[in-house]
Amino acid sequence: MRLNSPKMNVIIKACMKAAKSLIRDFGEIENLQVSTKAPGDFVTSADKRTEKILIEELQKANADYGIVSEEAGLINKSNNKNKWIIDPIDGTMNFLNGVPQFAISIGYEEDQEIKCGVIFNPVTNEMFCAEKGNGAYLNNSRIRVSNKKKIIDSLLVTGGPKYASDIKEKIFSEYVEVSKNVSNVRKFGSAALDMAYVASGRFDGYWQRELNYWDIAAGIVIVKEAGGFVNFFDEDNKNPLKKNIIASNANIHEDLIGMISKKYIE
Ligand code: IPD
Ligand code: CA
Ligand code: CA
């Protein structure tokens, strides 16, 4: 791994420790406790165990930092300057079904900007990481977004809608609109890995509504450091942790924005 600043070392160490327990849990899915947060939205004992290890490790390094974590919520709320943004398992539905498409995602935010992040799939052993100004990596190799020039030749990825979404029709109609104008669209079930795959050129672009900040925080810096563009649209000022995102290589970004919802982009 080429990135070895103190901050990256803290995140990677926490991630590797949590991954050991997560892999054990993945090998024994049938023994996990599962509860329902909302219709169609599950949380397992593995999400909570992984999160506990991550928080303990990150707090050992910086006890006073704010934390925004999916299951634990907000910790050290008064620290608005330095924050860890954590999704202990992004892709819980895949995890629960034995599908090895899930990841630990940790972003570090300073002064309202994500400065570095790690997305780690412990099954494939792929660690995507980036630090502002120092590039994006997959394990030891530098990564870049794809060089696809035309949107019609592009392979995109998306996700949603959630079971309980109030805007299913809008999401489906955007899916149809985009599908008519690109080579193909995939739906893999982990927003963090979707972003990481854009950063590494496996997908040319990604868009999705109704995300939470922790789904994509680490991905933001990884895509940008890989030379990609990230935009948010249709923002809900009352709920800044809710996000609608478009991330892609630079060549197709404008076209993708045009197809989704140009009027919403800042
Ligand atoms: C989910 C995944 C999925 C996306 C959902 C997210 P979770 O995160 O990122 O790809 O479509 O909107 O909630 O619940 O597995 O952490
Ligand atoms: Ca998530
Ligand atoms: Ca999660």
Side-chain angles (χ1 to χ4, degrees):
M1 185 76 55
R2 303 281 172 83
L3 298 173
N4 59 6
S5 67
K7 201 59 91 218
M8 286 306 302
N9 289 340
V10 166
I11 308 182
I12 291 168
K13 190 171 160 229
C15 207
M16 296 309 284
K17 184 161 184 193
K20 279 193 191 143
S21 121
L22 184 53
I23 278 289
R24 269 198 304 276
D25 285 337
F26 189 57
E28 299 178 16
I29 313 169
E30 60 288 352
N31 299 331
L32 295 177
Q33 284 167 14
V34 183
S35 36
T36 309
K37 291 198 275 187
D41 190 6
F42 304 100
V43 59
T44 70
S45 42
D47 293 80
K48 293 188 177 152
R49 212 172 353 252
T50 308
E51 182 178 64
K52 186 166 177 283
I53 298 169
L54 292 173
I55 291 176
E56 273 169 15
E57 287 298 307
L58 295 171
Q59 284 188 325
K60 268 189 214 162
N62 302 95
D64 59 329
Y65 279 16
I67 293 179
V68 180
S69 190
E70 179 169 14
E71 318 303 340
L74 305 179
I75 299 170
N76 288 340
K77 220 170 161 182
S78 60
N79 187 342
N80 220 15
K81 183 177 166 62
N82 318 91
K83 287 183 198 167
W84 302 113
I85 317 292
I86 304 171
D87 194 339
I89 305 179
D90 184 64
T92 294
M93 197 69 181
N94 285 343
F95 175 87
L96 253 181
N97 285 272
V99 178
Q101 184 74 2
F102 59 87
I104 294 172
S105 175
I106 307 171
Y108 169 64
E109 187 196 88
E110 194 174 291
D111 297 326
Q112 276 73 57
E113 186 185 23
I114 302 290
K115 303 285 189 197
C116 54
V118 168
I119 295 170
F120 183 49
N121 179 338
V123 181
T124 58
N125 227 356
E126 288 188 316
M127 180 174 282
F128 301 85
C129 63
E131 189 168 36
K132 193 178 174 197
N134 289 326
Y137 288 83
L138 164 51
N139 297 338
N140 287 316
S141 305
R142 190 83 190 245
I143 49 172
R144 276 204 69 75
V145 291
S146 76
N147 192 29
K148 200 70 64 65
K149 300 273 188 306
K150 293 192 204 143
I151 190 97
I152 189 71
D153 297 331
S154 300
L155 179 63
L156 302 194
V157 63
T158 189
K162 292 179 197 298
Y163 177 83
S165 172
D166 290 333
I167 55 162
K168 281 187 175 163
E169 290 309 318
K170 183 188 255 180
I171 289 172
F172 289 135
S173 65
E174 278 172 352
Y175 183 89
V176 170
E177 183 58 25
V178 174
S179 301
K180 285 180 189 164
N181 292 288
V182 302
S183 184
N184 222 320
V185 181
R186 302 280 187 256
K187 205 172 138 189
F188 272 23
S190 162
L193 288 174
D194 293 341
M195 295 280 282
Y197 283 18
V198 170
S200 53
R202 294 175 182 174
F203 294 127
D204 304 303
Y206 166 63
W207 88 98
Q208 187 168 345
R209 286 181 181 268
E210 299 189 312
L211 289 163
N212 291 300
Y213 191 34
W214 50 79
D215 298 319
I216 40 110
I220 295 169
V221 66
I222 298 175
V223 170
K224 286 184 178 170
E225 283 298 313
F229 286 8
V230 177
N231 255 295
F232 298 98
F233 63 103
D234 217 358
E235 297 218 62
D236 178 356
N237 294 332
K238 287 194 202 116
N239 210 338
L241 291 179
K242 295 279 173 201
K243 300 285 179 195
N244 305 312
I245 197 169
I246 295 177
S248 74
N249 81 20
N251 303 330
I252 64 164
H253 201 69
E254 274 305 309
D255 283 344
L256 191 51
I257 286 174
M259 257 182 249
I260 313 271
S261 290
K262 190 149 194 136
K263 62 184 176 202
Y264 294 123
I265 306 270
E266 314 136 352

